[in-house]
Structure formats: C-alpha cells, structure tokens
Amino acid sequence: MIATLTGAAAAALAVPALVAPANAAPASTAPAGAQAAPADPVSALRKQFRPGRGVKLTEQAKLIGEGRTQRVIFGRRGGVLEFGRKGVTASDLTSTFSLPGANKELVEEFKDMFAPSRTITVKGVSYTSSAFYAGAMPEGKKWLRTPAQPVSPGNPAQQLVNPLEPATLKAALAHTTSRRPGGTWDGARTVVHSGTITLGELYRVSPTVRGLLGAEPSAKSAPLRVSWQLYIGPDQLVRRAVSSWTQSMRGLTSVDLTYLNDSRYTGWGVKSAIKAPPAAQVAEFEELDLEGKAEDPFTRIIETAG
C-alpha cells in the first residue's frame, strides 16, 4: 500500500501545468535559541549538521480545487528531524490526515487513515505505528518496518523545495525574484525570499524530489514551475518554507489541483537521540494480514472529493 500511494503521488507530476501563487496565513511559533549569523543560509544550514542535534518540524499540506474555491486539508505532520554531519539522518514524526466537508460515509470507510500515525526513521529504516495496519499486525506487534524513503508516502503535496538540503536551498535562492519583511517566526524577525524553480532543476539537485518521482521527469513535465517562499532569520536559518504547484488531475478527478505545502522549522539545535522501537514490537511487511486492504485509498478519496 505504501508503494501504491507513493506511486500515485509521483504519477501526478507527469502532467505539465502552471503554478499558482503560494499563500498561507502566519502563525506564532516558539522562540528559538540564539545563533551566530553566518554569511549565507547555506553556510548556516551546514553548521547545524551536528550529530545529536536537530530541528523541530510542523508541516501542513493542502490540495486546493480548481478556481481556489474547494479547499482540502490533506495532511499535517510534526516532530523532530535529527542531523548527522551531512544532513538529516533520523526523524520522529506524527502525521494526521483530514478531509473537511467529506461525507460521513467516506470518513467512516477510511477512519483508520484519519487517525494519527507515527513514523520513526533511523539508520535507513522506517518504523510506522498506524491504525491502518493495527488490525493486520501479528499479536504483540505495533510497528511496521519498511525501507526509509525521502518522501512521505501517500502525500502528493510534498515540500518540493526542501530547505534542509544545502544544494536545494542554494538552487532555490539563486532564483530569488523578491525580498520583503516576513514577520516574526520562531522568535526571529525574518525576510521572505520568493521565486520559482523548475521541476527539472529540482530533480537534479534534490534527493527529496528524486525520491518522489523515482525517475527523471519527462520533457513535458520538467519545465513545470514550482513557486516557493523561504522565511530566513538574521542568523540565516530558514524558519518557514512554502511551495506550491498546479497540475491537471483530469481522468482521476474532474478538476485541476494546486498542491500547497507550508513547513515551519523551530528550535534549531535542539538535542535529539532518536532510536528504533524495541525489536519485539516490530513486524515485517510480509507478516501483515492485508486481506480487505488492497484498495488504493488515495485514489478513492480524491475521486470522491472531486
């Protein structure tokens, strides 16, 4: 099911489209620890890559219907991302999914998907505890072990401009078209840098995008433009990243969709020591009894919402 959902998200990027502007209302965040101000955001990010340290993430993803009249909250997730010497090496994130306005029958049918799920990723392996799998787990098991993925399975509204990847951050900032005051985030006064970057360029520089797509984008989809906003504090660290892109989903649903991701980064340098769950509580995928769970829920939900 994880592979199916990720495949559905990647397939959605095959169609070229125009990009809609990314807008999201500011919200207050907790103060961050003071940092010395490096010369640029990429240098500042690299200085954060210390084992046992990390940053807190709060993220929401939206699917916005054609004409911007049909708004759907697709998912939220939050937790801690832990750094090694080259970037993020571990994470502990809790995700929730909601579909405002959905009929009660749909919510009841997929109630397990609407329940919070937690995924711990460490040493190249992910462990997920989810109500969706609870009834299929062997007795005494509560975590499903799978290979780690650079993207969130089943969520097509990924943060395509991942500001925790130095090459991605550098490439995006090279396309900056405007700067303006960005308000206070995580206790820091920010400047919001805005611009656009193509899907093809993101594929070349970003492990996140390569993991999402699985293969190089076609000649038609590579020029798809992703709009982005990066809110950068005086210490040159990113406090908020917003990205959006629009494409046709016709054939799967009756409308074009805009995907909007809004990620907040707080507590830079927070101590972190993420560990795998106890082995006795971990199940392998082949151990699951998945009878009755073969249908792709992503497709059903989008079809019904559209």
Side-chain angles (χ1 to χ4, degrees):
M1 193 278 289
I2 289 177
T4 300
L5 294 182
T6 306
L13 288 169
V15 182
L18 299 176
V19 175
N23 297 304
S28 298
T29 56
Q35 296 282 343
D40 63 86
V42 176
S43 298
L45 174 62
R46 291 187 184 280
K47 287 186 177 181
Q48 295 297 312
F49 293 166
R50 296 175 292 161
R53 299 287 177 170
V55 65
K56 298 176 183 178
L57 170 70
T58 303
E59 181 179 86
Q60 65 176 1
K62 294 182 181 181
L63 275 71
I64 305 174
E66 193 172 42
R68 303 183 67 83
T69 58
Q70 180 185 354
R71 293 179 177 268
V72 179
I73 303 296
F74 190 86
R76 303 177 190 270
R77 65 175 182 163
V80 177
L81 305 173
E82 185 175 310
F83 296 129
R85 299 196 181 279
K86 295 185 178 181
V88 176
T89 58
S91 61
D92 186 346
L93 299 170
T94 296
S95 303
T96 58
F97 171 84
S98 61
L99 194 64
N103 60 65
K104 294 181 179 180
E105 291 76 12
L106 181 67
V107 173
E108 179 61 26
E109 181 179 355
F110 295 103
K111 62 182 180 181
D112 290 344
M113 283 195 66
F114 292 102
S117 65
R118 181 183 176 192
T119 298
I120 295 173
T121 300
V122 61
K123 294 182 178 180
V125 178
S126 289
Y127 305 86
T128 299
S129 179
S130 168
F132 186 83
Y133 292 112
M137 285 281 188
E139 185 176 356
K141 309 283 188 175
K142 61 178 293 187
W143 298 90
L144 174 64
R145 173 189 167 104
T146 59
Q149 299 180 4
V151 296
S152 175
N155 179 5
Q158 300 291 321
Q159 182 54 267
L160 292 187
V161 181
N162 186 344
L164 303 185
E165 297 170 348
T168 304
L169 180 59
K170 180 179 180 179
L173 290 173
H175 292 278
T176 299
T177 56
S178 70
R179 298 178 180 86
R180 58 179 174 80
T184 300
W185 298 91
D186 191 30
R189 299 288 295 180
T190 66
V191 174
V192 56
H193 300 238
S194 302
T196 63
I197 188 171
T198 67
L199 182 63
E201 185 167 359
L202 282 173
Y203 181 85
R204 288 192 293 273
V205 300
S206 173
T208 294
V209 174
R210 289 196 294 272
L212 174 62
L213 297 184
E216 187 173 359
S218 68
K220 289 185 177 181
S221 59
L224 185 151
R225 302 185 71 81
V226 179
S227 66
W228 57 266
Q229 297 173 333
L230 295 173
Y231 293 70
I232 299 175
D235 53 8
Q236 299 299 299
L237 293 173
V238 174
R239 295 319 204 281
R240 181 183 179 198
V242 180
S243 67
S244 72
W245 50 278
T246 300
Q247 54 128 67
S248 173
M249 294 287 284
R250 298 182 187 279
L252 180 60
T253 182
S254 61
V255 298
D256 291 344
L257 295 176
T258 294
Y259 299 81
L260 171 65
N261 185 291
D262 189 344
S263 302
R264 321 288 173 86
Y265 302 91
T266 62
W268 283 93
V270 65
K271 290 183 178 180
S272 179
I274 297 172
K275 300 183 183 302
Q281 298 180 11
V282 176
E284 302 294 335
F285 193 82
E286 56 267 22
E287 297 180 67
L288 301 186
D289 179 7
L290 293 175
E291 184 177 356
K293 291 187 178 290
E295 182 182 16
D296 176 2
F298 172 76
T299 300
R300 281 276 289 109
I301 290 170
I302 291 297
E303 286 176 340
T304 304

